[in-house]
Amino acid sequence: MSKDRTYDYVIVGAGSAGCVLAGRLSEDPAVRVALVESGPRDRKPEIRIPAAFPKLFKTPYDWDYTTAKQGALDDRELYWPRGHMLGGSSSLNAMMWVRGHRADYDAWGEAAGPEWAYDQFVRYFQRAERWAGPRPEKSVYGTLGPLHIAPPRRPNPTTSAFLDACRGQGLHALGELNEADHSGFALTPVNQYRGRRWSAADGYLKPAARRPNLDVYTDARVTRLDFDGTRAAGVVADGVAVGTLRATREVILAAGAIGSPQLLQQAGIGDPETLAAAGLDTLVASPDVGRHLRDHLSYAVTVRCPRPVTLTGADTPANIARFLLRGRGPLTSNVGEAVAFIKTRPELDAPDVELVYAPVPFVNHGLTPPTEHGITLGVILLQPRSAGRITPTGPGAGARPRIDPGYLAEEEDLRTLVAGVRRAEELLADAALRPFHSEPMAGYPGVVDDETLSRSIRAGAETLYHPVGTCRMGTDDGSVTDERLRVRGTEALRVVDASVMPHITRGHTHAPTVALAEKAAELIREDARK
């Protein structure tokens, strides 16, 4: 039988942000915290094996979303994996700890106030970090935080060739990838400990799980937000022994760029016309809920490798044994072993393209096991002008929202991707990489004219798994959340996840989401003292 339970804070979603909030808020023994996660516990062995993350896709540990047809991508519906377990996407991703560029956070500061600008915000990254690699005298990394971060444990031989090619093409060798200006190239810092994945659940939640003031509910989907007028009073969740969870201080949504706007819209917070079209009544008119969706679009430059040295076939019994016994070997690879941040036009102040190097043919999100040796340079559009939207499709938590990223709606985005592919091709032509590739494969047509390449991009580009912006924060009245992440028009309701980012970062979204949640925990404690 379900029970009513009362807490100070009820957090919805145990992903990168939710785990941080649960860990930090429950540090105060005087408050009671509930964390509600719709997915299961993170016990599947593949979660721990870095190179095995694609094996989690399209399983019960994945929300397994599909976008609306994308007109600029040949009317394709794209697969969007999102973590559906403790740790959320930090238990499902490629473990890349990539903060972004100083300019990203200075833009946040312009949108939401100076406390979000780089110089004020960078300490929240350092608060989270426990860096295990070499440290120059003025390292950017923290060393005492809950999240283990380390260099790749066993980079592939071809990864060194990629770095040499970057150097040969005149790119800047970064001392540390996460410098304030990350224009250049480096190995990828990864969320690993002794060769195994280290998720937000590992770093923040599990050390806190035994605290008597923290209750963690798994396999419990929130079906409704409860309100007393416009004040959030709690949540209703399904699952064994959950029922209604009441919040005396705040309900905090940490369900991500899809889940958080969906919960708001289902509660009647959103654009009135959009809500009415889905059969939903309006509680609070907030037209920007679900809008400003941005994501990093990626195109794979994949070529055969004539030498049998890549990750293809790495899951041999011997390598599995090396991993299980010593945390060593190729299975410790996060697949995206190195990156380069580049400017496709010299007048740019910051990079507009990221090149992610993978020593394997990464095809169909890794769902198609490679049968040949090959390498991939993922070309990522860092600052898309195109924006999309999350919209409700009907009342009830079971009605999945419509996800329309609006990829390549702005023609300039396609031009930038074409320019990025040309830079990747220059790296492949460098003497350092030339011995490790031959014919194009997996949809990449090789060096062709711009028109043919543009058609290939439209036919083959995919998400890099970084949706943001659908509950954007700001100081303007039109923003969904204010500069303290409180939902405008309501009381005791806050959103803390990638959906509040007013601009997408030139990096990956796990690190900024963790840092954002670290800051949010501080804001929540400050507000509780008022």
Side-chain angles (χ1 to χ4, degrees), residues 231-254:
R231 179 183 177 83
V235 305
V236 177
D238 58 17
V240 177
V242 182
T244 300
L245 305 177
R246 303 194 181 280
T248 59
R249 292 188 181 179
E250 290 189 24
V251 172
I252 307 167
L253 302 186

Side-chain angles (χ1 to χ4, degrees), residues 285-346:
S286 183
D288 267 15
V289 173
R291 297 183 187 271
H292 304 286
L293 171 63
R294 279 184 168 81
D295 180 39
H296 287 144
L297 189 65
S298 173
Y299 176 75
V301 175
T302 306
V303 291
R304 289 180 174 82
C305 179
R307 302 184 183 184
V309 294
T310 72
L311 293 177
T312 297
D315 54 347
T316 63
N319 283 334
I320 293 171
R322 288 175 69 192
F323 177 83
L324 293 175
L325 294 173
R326 301 176 57 207
R328 299 282 182 181
L331 294 183
T332 63
S333 174
N334 74 312
V335 180
E337 292 187 353
V339 296
F341 288 94
I342 63 172
K343 303 171 187 177
T344 62
R345 305 193 311 277

Side-chain angles (χ1 to χ4, degrees), residues 12 30 133 147 363 389 445 448-450 496:
V12 180
L147 289 185
V363 180
R389 191 177 179 191
V448 293
D449 61 85
D450 285 358
V496 181

Side-chain angles (χ1 to χ4, degrees), residues 111 285-288 472-483 488-489:
S286 183
D288 267 15
R472 70 172 182 91
M473 64 174 169
T475 54
D476 62 294
D477 292 340
S479 61
V480 177
T481 50
D482 68 12
E483 66 275 16
R488 292 187 183 277

